[in-house]
């Protein structure tokens, strides 16, 4: 019965901010790793203390609500424990599957390369890029703004998923078998189109569904085919 007995938490982010200034941090063991150590959980508990709150997220992370005055020190302490603290604001945010707990690591090197190249780039509003390391796509890459599904030496690229609401649906296949040697540049071009043509604060899925008949999308796909991606 504990699974249902307490449905209304005492410390939501909104309730905390009624009595002070709090900041949310999204924390995980890494982009690929999904396993926390006991010591990392102890650090999380210490950082949050009695004043903050901890919440599980559907985005492969734990959300911490921490007094804003403590954020700098808390972030350093979390990072020193080997935890990844996601960047905030209107930027590219990377997600990835666990590559079958390390049994299928073929796409891991290119995923790390994409992280260093794309994570944190400024965009009109937060853009979620999800990389899945095999065709099973069990971490639901096709349900994020840009979904990459790895298939031997290449990625299928999905765009424009509607993440929630009555019209929620998966993204559509935009380009098939984009080679690993071209995927970084390909994604940068998609991001540049978003930055150049989106309306202020327009989510990526709204932008893509509004513009997907524009010539620049077809030009991007045509260039992909011509270069033999």
């Amino acid at each position: 019965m504990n699974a249902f007995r307490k449905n209304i938490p005492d410390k939501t982010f909104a309730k905390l901010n009624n009595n002070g200034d709090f900041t949310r941090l999204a924390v995980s063991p890494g982009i690929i790793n999904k396993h926390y150590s006991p010591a990392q959980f102890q650090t999380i508990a210490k950082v949050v203390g009695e004043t903050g709150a901890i919440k599980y997220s559907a985005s492969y992370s734990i959300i911490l609500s921490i007094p804003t005055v403590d954020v700098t020190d808390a972030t350093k302490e979390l990072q020193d424990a080997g935890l990844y603290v996601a960047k905030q604001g209107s930027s590219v945010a990377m997600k990835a599957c666990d590559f079958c707990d390390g049994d299928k690591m073929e796409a891991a090197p290119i995923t790390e390369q994409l992280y260093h190249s794309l994570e944190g780039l400024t965009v009109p509003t937060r853009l979620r890029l999800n990389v899945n390391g095999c065709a099973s796509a069990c971490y639901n890459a096709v349900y994020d703004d840009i979904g990459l599904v790895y298939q031997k030496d290449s990625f299928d690229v999905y765009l424009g998923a509607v993440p929630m609401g009555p019209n929620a649906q998966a993204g559509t296949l935009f380009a098939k078998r984009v080679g690993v040697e071209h995927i970084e540049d390909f994604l940068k071009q998609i991001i540049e189109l978003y930055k150049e043509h989106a309306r202020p604060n327009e989510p990526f899925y709204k932008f893509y569904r509004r513009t997907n008949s524009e010539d620049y999308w077809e030009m991007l796909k045509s260039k992909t085919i011509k270069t033999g991606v």
Side-chain angles (χ1 to χ4, degrees), residues 134-135 142 147-159 172-183 186-187 190 208 217 220-229:
C134 73
V142 299
L148 303 184
V149 178
Y150 181 78
Q151 300 194 59
K152 192 169 177 56
D153 298 325
S154 66
F155 288 97
D156 291 346
V157 180
Y158 293 80
L159 300 181
T172 56
L173 180 61
F174 176 71
K176 193 170 180 64
R177 296 297 176 94
V178 180
V180 293
E181 69 274 22
H182 298 287
I183 190 66
F186 189 70
L187 293 173
I190 292 173
Y208 180 67
W217 291 113
L220 177 57
K221 282 195 283 190
S222 297
K223 185 163 59 174
T224 300
I225 294 169
K226 287 178 182 177
T227 55
V229 175

Short mmCIF file of all heavy atoms in Angstrom, two decimals, residues 134-135 142 147-159 172-183 186-187 190 208 217 220-229:
data_model
loop_
_atom_site.label_atom_id
_atom_site.label_comp_id
_atom_site.label_asym_id
_atom_site.label_seq_id
_atom_site.Cartn_x
_atom_site.Cartn_y
_atom_site.Cartn_z
N CYS A 134 21.47 0.61 -30.42
CA CYS A 134 21.14 -0.48 -31.34
C CYS A 134 19.71 -0.27 -31.82
O CYS A 134 18.99 0.60 -31.33
CB CYS A 134 21.31 -1.85 -30.69
SG CYS A 134 20.04 -2.27 -29.48
N ALA A 135 19.28 -1.12 -32.76
CA ALA A 135 17.98 -0.94 -33.40
C ALA A 135 16.81 -1.19 -32.45
O ALA A 135 15.68 -0.80 -32.75
CB ALA A 135 17.87 -1.85 -34.62
N VAL A 142 13.22 7.73 -30.27
CA VAL A 142 12.29 8.34 -31.23
C VAL A 142 11.27 9.24 -30.56
O VAL A 142 10.48 9.90 -31.24
CB VAL A 142 11.58 7.26 -32.07
CG1 VAL A 142 12.59 6.45 -32.86
CG2 VAL A 142 10.71 6.35 -31.20
N GLY A 147 16.24 12.03 -32.28
CA GLY A 147 16.54 10.68 -31.86
C GLY A 147 17.51 10.01 -32.82
O GLY A 147 17.28 10.03 -34.03
N LEU A 148 18.57 9.43 -32.28
CA LEU A 148 19.54 8.70 -33.08
C LEU A 148 19.48 7.23 -32.71
O LEU A 148 19.62 6.88 -31.53
CB LEU A 148 20.96 9.22 -32.84
CG LEU A 148 21.25 10.71 -33.08
CD1 LEU A 148 22.73 10.99 -32.89
CD2 LEU A 148 20.81 11.13 -34.47
N VAL A 149 19.28 6.38 -33.70
CA VAL A 149 19.25 4.94 -33.49
C VAL A 149 20.39 4.32 -34.29
O VAL A 149 20.41 4.40 -35.52
CB VAL A 149 17.90 4.34 -33.92
CG1 VAL A 149 17.91 2.82 -33.72
CG2 VAL A 149 16.76 4.96 -33.12
N TYR A 150 21.35 3.74 -33.57
CA TYR A 150 22.57 3.23 -34.20
C TYR A 150 22.32 1.91 -34.89
O TYR A 150 21.67 1.02 -34.35
CB TYR A 150 23.67 3.06 -33.15
CG TYR A 150 24.98 2.57 -33.71
CD1 TYR A 150 25.84 3.44 -34.37
CD2 TYR A 150 25.35 1.23 -33.57
CE1 TYR A 150 27.05 2.99 -34.88
CE2 TYR A 150 26.56 0.78 -34.07
CZ TYR A 150 27.40 1.66 -34.73
OH TYR A 150 28.59 1.20 -35.23
N GLN A 151 22.84 1.80 -36.10
CA GLN A 151 22.88 0.53 -36.83
C GLN A 151 24.21 0.49 -37.56
O GLN A 151 24.53 1.42 -38.28
CB GLN A 151 21.73 0.43 -37.82
CG GLN A 151 20.35 0.51 -37.17
CD GLN A 151 19.25 0.06 -38.12
OE1 GLN A 151 19.26 -1.05 -38.60
NE2 GLN A 151 18.31 0.94 -38.38
N LYS A 152 24.97 -0.50 -37.35
CA LYS A 152 26.34 -0.68 -37.80
C LYS A 152 26.92 0.47 -38.62
O LYS A 152 26.60 0.66 -39.79
CB LYS A 152 26.47 -1.98 -38.59
CG LYS A 152 27.93 -2.35 -38.84
CD LYS A 152 28.08 -3.73 -39.39
CE LYS A 152 29.52 -4.05 -39.68
NZ LYS A 152 30.41 -3.90 -38.53
N ASP A 153 27.78 1.24 -37.97
CA ASP A 153 28.54 2.33 -38.58
C ASP A 153 27.66 3.49 -39.07
O ASP A 153 28.13 4.34 -39.83
CB ASP A 153 29.39 1.84 -39.75
CG ASP A 153 30.43 0.82 -39.32
OD1 ASP A 153 30.95 0.95 -38.19
OD2 ASP A 153 30.71 -0.11 -40.10
N SER A 154 26.41 3.57 -38.62
CA SER A 154 25.53 4.65 -39.07
C SER A 154 24.40 4.86 -38.07
O SER A 154 24.20 4.07 -37.15
CB SER A 154 24.95 4.32 -40.45
OG SER A 154 24.08 3.20 -40.38
N PHE A 155 23.68 5.95 -38.28
CA PHE A 155 22.51 6.27 -37.45
C PHE A 155 21.29 6.56 -38.31
O PHE A 155 21.40 7.22 -39.34
CB PHE A 155 22.78 7.52 -36.60
CG PHE A 155 23.75 7.33 -35.48
CD1 PHE A 155 25.09 7.67 -35.63
CD2 PHE A 155 23.33 6.81 -34.26
CE1 PHE A 155 25.99 7.51 -34.59
CE2 PHE A 155 24.23 6.64 -33.22
CZ PHE A 155 25.56 7.00 -33.38
N ASP A 156 20.14 6.08 -37.86
CA ASP A 156 18.87 6.58 -38.37
C ASP A 156 18.51 7.79 -37.51
O ASP A 156 18.63 7.74 -36.28
CB ASP A 156 17.77 5.53 -38.28
CG ASP A 156 17.99 4.37 -39.25
OD1 ASP A 156 18.83 4.52 -40.16
OD2 ASP A 156 17.33 3.34 -39.08
N VAL A 157 18.07 8.87 -38.15
CA VAL A 157 17.81 10.13 -37.45
C VAL A 157 16.31 10.43 -37.48
O VAL A 157 15.71 10.53 -38.56
CB VAL A 157 18.58 11.29 -38.10
CG1 VAL A 157 18.31 12.60 -37.35
CG2 VAL A 157 20.08 10.99 -38.12
N TYR A 158 15.71 10.56 -36.30
CA TYR A 158 14.30 10.87 -36.15
C TYR A 158 14.14 12.28 -35.61
O TYR A 158 14.88 12.70 -34.73
CB TYR A 158 13.63 9.88 -35.19
CG TYR A 158 13.55 8.47 -35.72
CD1 TYR A 158 14.65 7.62 -35.65
CD2 TYR A 158 12.38 7.98 -36.29
CE1 TYR A 158 14.59 6.33 -36.14
CE2 TYR A 158 12.30 6.69 -36.77
CZ TYR A 158 13.42 5.86 -36.70
OH TYR A 158 13.35 4.58 -37.19
N LEU A 159 13.17 13.01 -36.14
CA LEU A 159 12.94 14.39 -35.73
C LEU A 159 11.48 14.63 -35.38
O LEU A 159 10.58 14.00 -35.93
CB LEU A 159 13.32 15.36 -36.87
CG LEU A 159 14.76 15.36 -37.39
CD1 LEU A 159 14.90 16.42 -38.48
CD2 LEU A 159 15.74 15.61 -36.27
N THR A 172 9.44 11.38 -36.63
CA THR A 172 9.43 10.72 -37.94
C THR A 172 10.86 10.51 -38.42
O THR A 172 11.77 11.27 -38.09
CB THR A 172 8.66 11.57 -38.97
OG1 THR A 172 9.24 12.88 -39.02
CG2 THR A 172 7.20 11.69 -38.57
N LEU A 173 11.06 9.46 -39.21
CA LEU A 173 12.37 9.16 -39.75
C LEU A 173 12.74 10.23 -40.77
O LEU A 173 12.10 10.35 -41.82
CB LEU A 173 12.37 7.78 -40.40
CG LEU A 173 13.70 7.32 -41.01
CD1 LEU A 173 14.80 7.25 -39.96
CD2 LEU A 173 13.52 5.97 -41.70
N PHE A 174 13.77 11.00 -40.45
CA PHE A 174 14.20 12.09 -41.33
C PHE A 174 15.30 11.64 -42.28
O PHE A 174 15.30 11.97 -43.47
CB PHE A 174 14.69 13.27 -40.49
CG PHE A 174 15.24 14.41 -41.30
CD1 PHE A 174 14.40 15.20 -42.06
CD2 PHE A 174 16.61 14.69 -41.31
CE1 PHE A 174 14.90 16.25 -42.82
CE2 PHE A 174 17.12 15.73 -42.06
CZ PHE A 174 16.26 16.52 -42.83
N ALA A 175 16.27 10.89 -41.77
CA ALA A 175 17.38 10.43 -42.61
C ALA A 175 17.81 9.05 -42.14
O ALA A 175 17.88 8.78 -40.94
CB ALA A 175 18.55 11.39 -42.52
N LYS A 176 18.07 8.17 -43.08
CA LYS A 176 18.43 6.79 -42.76
C LYS A 176 19.90 6.55 -43.06
O LYS A 176 20.44 7.02 -44.06
CB LYS A 176 17.57 5.84 -43.60
CG LYS A 176 17.62 4.38 -43.15
CD LYS A 176 16.55 3.58 -43.87
CE LYS A 176 16.58 2.12 -43.43
NZ LYS A 176 16.24 1.98 -41.99
N ARG A 177 20.54 5.83 -42.15
CA ARG A 177 21.92 5.39 -42.30
C ARG A 177 22.89 6.54 -42.55
O ARG A 177 23.64 6.55 -43.52
CB ARG A 177 22.02 4.36 -43.42
CG ARG A 177 21.24 3.06 -43.12
CD ARG A 177 21.79 2.33 -41.90
NE ARG A 177 21.02 1.15 -41.54
CZ ARG A 177 21.30 -0.09 -41.96
NH1 ARG A 177 22.33 -0.29 -42.74
NH2 ARG A 177 20.57 -1.10 -41.56
N VAL A 178 22.86 7.54 -41.68
CA VAL A 178 23.86 8.61 -41.72
C VAL A 178 25.14 8.07 -41.08
O VAL A 178 25.14 7.67 -39.92
CB VAL A 178 23.38 9.86 -40.96
CG1 VAL A 178 24.43 10.95 -41.01
CG2 VAL A 178 22.05 10.35 -41.52
N GLY A 179 26.23 8.04 -41.84
CA GLY A 179 27.47 7.44 -41.37
C GLY A 179 28.02 8.13 -40.14
O GLY A 179 27.86 9.34 -39.96
N VAL A 180 28.72 7.36 -39.29
CA VAL A 180 29.26 7.93 -38.06
C VAL A 180 30.26 9.04 -38.34
O VAL A 180 30.41 9.97 -37.55
CB VAL A 180 29.92 6.84 -37.18
CG1 VAL A 180 28.89 5.86 -36.66
CG2 VAL A 180 31.01 6.10 -37.95
N GLU A 181 30.91 8.99 -39.49
CA GLU A 181 31.89 10.02 -39.82
C GLU A 181 31.23 11.34 -40.23
O GLU A 181 31.88 12.38 -40.30
CB GLU A 181 32.83 9.54 -40.93
CG GLU A 181 32.18 9.38 -42.30
CD GLU A 181 31.51 8.03 -42.52
OE1 GLU A 181 31.16 7.35 -41.52
OE2 GLU A 181 31.33 7.64 -43.69
N HIS A 182 29.91 11.30 -40.49
CA HIS A 182 29.20 12.50 -40.92
C HIS A 182 28.16 13.00 -39.91
O HIS A 182 27.63 14.09 -40.07
CB HIS A 182 28.48 12.23 -42.25
CG HIS A 182 29.38 11.88 -43.38
ND1 HIS A 182 30.18 12.81 -44.01
CD2 HIS A 182 29.62 10.70 -43.99
CE1 HIS A 182 30.88 12.21 -44.97
NE2 HIS A 182 30.56 10.94 -44.98
N ILE A 183 27.86 12.18 -38.91
CA ILE A 183 26.71 12.48 -38.05
C ILE A 183 26.89 13.78 -37.27
O ILE A 183 25.93 14.54 -37.08
CB ILE A 183 26.40 11.29 -37.10
CG1 ILE A 183 25.07 11.51 -36.39
CG2 ILE A 183 27.53 11.07 -36.12
CD1 ILE A 183 23.87 11.51 -37.30
N PHE A 186 26.14 16.64 -39.56
CA PHE A 186 24.72 16.57 -39.91
C PHE A 186 23.85 17.16 -38.80
O PHE A 186 22.94 17.96 -39.06
CB PHE A 186 24.36 15.11 -40.17
CG PHE A 186 22.99 14.89 -40.74
CD1 PHE A 186 22.70 15.27 -42.04
CD2 PHE A 186 22.01 14.28 -39.99
CE1 PHE A 186 21.44 15.05 -42.57
CE2 PHE A 186 20.74 14.07 -40.51
CZ PHE A 186 20.46 14.45 -41.81
N LEU A 187 24.15 16.79 -37.56
CA LEU A 187 23.37 17.30 -36.44
C LEU A 187 23.60 18.80 -36.24
O LEU A 187 22.66 19.54 -35.91
CB LEU A 187 23.74 16.54 -35.16
CG LEU A 187 23.34 15.07 -35.15
CD1 LEU A 187 23.91 14.38 -33.91
CD2 LEU A 187 21.83 14.90 -35.20
N ILE A 190 21.32 20.61 -38.53
CA ILE A 190 19.94 20.62 -38.03
C ILE A 190 19.78 21.66 -36.93
O ILE A 190 18.82 22.45 -36.92
CB ILE A 190 19.56 19.22 -37.50
CG1 ILE A 190 19.47 18.23 -38.66
CG2 ILE A 190 18.23 19.27 -36.74
CD1 ILE A 190 19.28 16.79 -38.22
N TYR A 208 9.84 22.03 -36.15
CA TYR A 208 9.99 21.07 -37.24
C TYR A 208 8.67 20.80 -37.94
O TYR A 208 8.61 20.75 -39.19
CB TYR A 208 10.58 19.76 -36.71
CG TYR A 208 10.75 18.73 -37.80
CD1 TYR A 208 11.67 18.92 -38.82
CD2 TYR A 208 9.97 17.57 -37.83
CE1 TYR A 208 11.82 18.00 -39.83
CE2 TYR A 208 10.11 16.64 -38.84
CZ TYR A 208 11.04 16.86 -39.84
OH TYR A 208 11.17 15.94 -40.85
N TRP A 217 15.12 21.79 -45.58
CA TRP A 217 15.16 20.42 -45.10
C TRP A 217 15.48 19.46 -46.24
O TRP A 217 16.28 18.53 -46.09
CB TRP A 217 13.83 20.04 -44.44
CG TRP A 217 13.56 20.72 -43.15
CD1 TRP A 217 12.58 21.63 -42.90
CD2 TRP A 217 14.28 20.57 -41.92
NE1 TRP A 217 12.63 22.05 -41.59
CE2 TRP A 217 13.66 21.42 -40.96
CE3 TRP A 217 15.37 19.80 -41.53
CZ2 TRP A 217 14.12 21.52 -39.66
CZ3 TRP A 217 15.82 19.90 -40.23
CH2 TRP A 217 15.20 20.74 -39.30
N LEU A 220 19.10 19.67 -47.14
CA LEU A 220 19.96 18.96 -46.20
C LEU A 220 19.96 17.47 -46.50
O LEU A 220 21.02 16.83 -46.53
CB LEU A 220 19.49 19.22 -44.77
CG LEU A 220 20.25 18.49 -43.65
CD1 LEU A 220 21.73 18.81 -43.70
CD2 LEU A 220 19.66 18.85 -42.28
N LYS A 221 18.78 16.91 -46.76
CA LYS A 221 18.70 15.49 -47.08
C LYS A 221 19.39 15.18 -48.41
O LYS A 221 20.09 14.17 -48.54
CB LYS A 221 17.24 15.03 -47.13
CG LYS A 221 16.64 14.81 -45.77
CD LYS A 221 15.35 14.03 -45.81
CE LYS A 221 14.19 14.87 -46.25
NZ LYS A 221 12.90 14.18 -46.08
N SER A 222 19.22 16.05 -49.39
CA SER A 222 19.85 15.85 -50.70
C SER A 222 21.36 15.88 -50.57
O SER A 222 22.07 15.06 -51.18
CB SER A 222 19.39 16.92 -51.68
OG SER A 222 18.01 16.83 -51.91
N LYS A 223 21.86 16.80 -49.77
CA LYS A 223 23.30 16.89 -49.58
C LYS A 223 23.82 15.63 -48.90
O LYS A 223 24.92 15.14 -49.20
CB LYS A 223 23.65 18.13 -48.76
CG LYS A 223 25.13 18.35 -48.61
CD LYS A 223 25.45 19.76 -48.16
CE LYS A 223 24.83 20.12 -46.85
NZ LYS A 223 25.24 21.44 -46.33
N THR A 224 23.03 15.08 -48.01
CA THR A 224 23.40 13.85 -47.32
C THR A 224 23.57 12.72 -48.32
O THR A 224 24.52 11.95 -48.30
CB THR A 224 22.35 13.47 -46.27
OG1 THR A 224 22.24 14.51 -45.30
CG2 THR A 224 22.69 12.16 -45.59
N ILE A 225 22.61 12.60 -49.25
CA ILE A 225 22.66 11.54 -50.24
C ILE A 225 23.84 11.72 -51.19
O ILE A 225 24.58 10.79 -51.49
CB ILE A 225 21.35 11.51 -51.05
CG1 ILE A 225 20.19 11.11 -50.14
CG2 ILE A 225 21.45 10.54 -52.22
CD1 ILE A 225 18.81 11.30 -50.76
N LYS A 226 24.09 12.96 -51.62
CA LYS A 226 25.15 13.24 -52.58
C LYS A 226 26.53 12.96 -51.99
O LYS A 226 27.45 12.55 -52.69
CB LYS A 226 25.07 14.69 -53.05
CG LYS A 226 23.90 14.95 -53.99
CD LYS A 226 23.84 16.42 -54.38
CE LYS A 226 22.64 16.68 -55.28
NZ LYS A 226 22.50 18.11 -55.62
N THR A 227 26.69 13.21 -50.71
CA THR A 227 28.00 12.99 -50.08
C THR A 227 28.19 11.53 -49.67
O THR A 227 29.22 11.18 -49.10
CB THR A 227 28.18 13.90 -48.84
OG1 THR A 227 27.08 13.69 -47.95
CG2 THR A 227 28.23 15.36 -49.25
N GLY A 228 27.16 10.73 -49.93
CA GLY A 228 27.30 9.32 -49.63
C GLY A 228 27.28 8.98 -48.17
O GLY A 228 27.90 8.03 -47.74
N VAL A 229 26.56 9.80 -47.39
CA VAL A 229 26.49 9.57 -45.95
C VAL A 229 25.77 8.25 -45.68
O VAL A 229 24.76 7.98 -46.26
CB VAL A 229 25.74 10.72 -45.26
CG1 VAL A 229 25.57 10.43 -43.79
CG2 VAL A 229 26.48 12.01 -45.45
#
